[in-house]
Amino acid sequence: MRAITQHTFGGPEVLVLGTAPVPEPLPTEIRVRVAAAGVNPVDWKTRAGSGAAAVLGAPPFTVGWDVAGTVDAVGPGVTRFAVGDTVFGMPWFPRQAAAYADFVTAPSRHFAHRPAGLGEVAAAALPLAGLTAWQSLVDIAAVQPGQRVLVHAAAGGVGHLAVQIAKSRGAYVLGTASSGKHDLLHDLGIDEAIDYRREAFEKVVEPVDVVYDLIGGDVSLRSLDVLHPDGLMICLPSAAAADALAAARERGLRATGMMVEPDGDGLDDLAALVDERRLRVIVAETFPLERASHAHRAGELGRTSGKLVLTT
């Protein structure tokens, strides 16, 4: 099968198209013929030597965790899926899933049935970003109707899904993004869009119950000024959140990092929102598998609204 591999850490140019044996599913695993693979910031960070590189170890390896495709084979003990089922998932994270390839094997409970209203490309864009937002806002923050939720980088890969998930929970949602992305945010149902280039959000935002910070650094520290005394700030990437967490403790405020986990039940919940037409996945651009390096270059510019996806 085809697979994108790298033999050293470095820039996008280290991603090369090669071949690898087709994997065989072990007991409780399925093999998925990959139709599309989502591209996430953790992919290019890992490629460069940070991200999940500490888990994967030194190259060679294949990055990628978002998968959508068709079940091609099932191992003994699998009851959730049959050959021919269309699925999507985020297998193995943060261990190697090798999603930038023609086939992937992983435990069946790392996947869910692809909702009828979601094509393969959009389905590949949903798992990692969607589960990150779902686990943060639902499992950790337990967002309730009427609460005020501030999402930073609200038009990004995780952010645009977080806005919709918070709205589905009945929250009043605010988000920061450049003015050119405000129409998209309003189309997704946001209540207030703030242009971070024109005004300091901490000067115009009334206290909020949840801050979902997808930027970090100075934004995290400034966000403490708008956090309600009983509120919660969730900072991603969690590895860069130490200063913000320490500052929150000094002020008697609650803040936490998080790392997304494979979660078939969470994927089912996201699929239900798609079926109910309360969740849309925005795909900014697609690239063929052999142009994975181009997708990484586009992602690292930091200008993308929604997600980037590789197609096989």
Side-chain angles (χ1 to χ4, degrees):
M1 69 172 184
R2 299 175 306 154
I4 296 292
T5 59
Q6 63 181 90
H7 297 277
T8 184
F9 294 119
E13 69 279 358
V14 304
L15 299 177
V16 295
L17 182 66
T19 60
V22 175
E24 292 296 328
L26 298 174
T28 76
E29 291 185 349
I30 60 175
R31 183 171 69 206
V32 176
R33 180 185 292 272
V34 178
V39 178
N40 295 285
V42 69
D43 299 4
W44 57 76
K45 291 176 183 178
T46 301
R47 181 212 73 222
S50 57
V55 177
L56 271 58
F61 54 67
T62 295
V63 297
W65 286 270
D66 274 340
V67 171
T70 303
V71 177
D72 175 76
V74 298
V78 172
T79 58
R80 286 168 59 88
F81 303 107
V83 171
D85 286 348
T86 57
V87 298
F88 71 121
M90 185 201 72
W92 293 120
F93 189 82
R95 295 170 57 189
Q96 180 175 253
Y100 291 12
D102 286 327
F103 292 93
V104 165
T105 55
S108 67
R109 294 184 182 273
H110 289 186
F111 294 89
H113 291 277
R114 176 166 61 86
L118 200 63
E120 289 173 327
V121 169
L126 179 56
L128 193 148
L131 286 176
T132 299
W134 182 270
Q135 291 171 9
S136 296
L137 297 176
V138 178
D139 296 343
I140 298 174
V143 169
Q144 300 296 312
Q147 287 189 319
R148 291 168 54 83
V149 177
L150 171 62
V151 179
H152 289 303
V158 175
H160 87 284
L161 299 171
V163 167
Q164 297 173 81
I165 290 169
K167 288 298 297 180
S168 78
R169 307 288 290 181
Y172 183 92
V173 183
L174 310 88
T176 60
S178 60
S179 60
K181 299 177 180 179
H182 285 194
D183 286 346
L184 169 63
L185 291 177
H186 286 299
D187 193 39
L188 295 177
I190 203 166
D191 296 291
E192 291 186 37
I194 302 149
D195 184 354
Y196 67 90
R197 293 176 177 173
R198 295 184 178 180
E199 53 191 355
F201 68 86
E202 69 272 22
K203 297 186 182 298
V204 297
V205 171
E206 297 294 325
V208 298
D209 301 287
V210 177
V211 173
Y212 194 35
D213 176 29
L214 301 167
I215 299 175
D218 180 62
V219 170
S220 295
L221 298 175
R222 291 159 53 204
S223 293
L224 296 174
D225 292 338
V226 301
L227 185 62
H228 189 279
D230 295 325
L232 173 66
M233 181 167 71
I234 301 173
C235 304
L236 275 79
S238 57
D243 290 344
L245 302 187
R249 286 193 297 270
E250 290 176 2
R251 296 174 59 168
L253 297 171
R254 292 193 302 147
T256 184
M258 72 85 66
M259 179 174 285
V260 67
E261 302 177 49
D263 181 2
D265 291 338
L267 291 172
D268 285 336
D269 290 328
L270 292 171
L273 288 182
V274 171
D275 284 335
E276 295 163 5
R277 298 186 178 181
R278 294 197 288 167
L279 184 67
R280 285 195 293 137
V281 183
I282 306 299
V283 176
E285 192 172 359
T286 63
F287 300 80
L289 180 66
E290 62 269 19
R291 291 173 63 86
S293 62
H294 293 76
H296 278 217
R297 287 191 183 94
E300 288 179 296
L301 292 175
R303 301 170 186 167
T304 304
S305 296
K307 294 292 299 295
L308 303 173
V309 176
L310 301 176
T311 56
T312 61

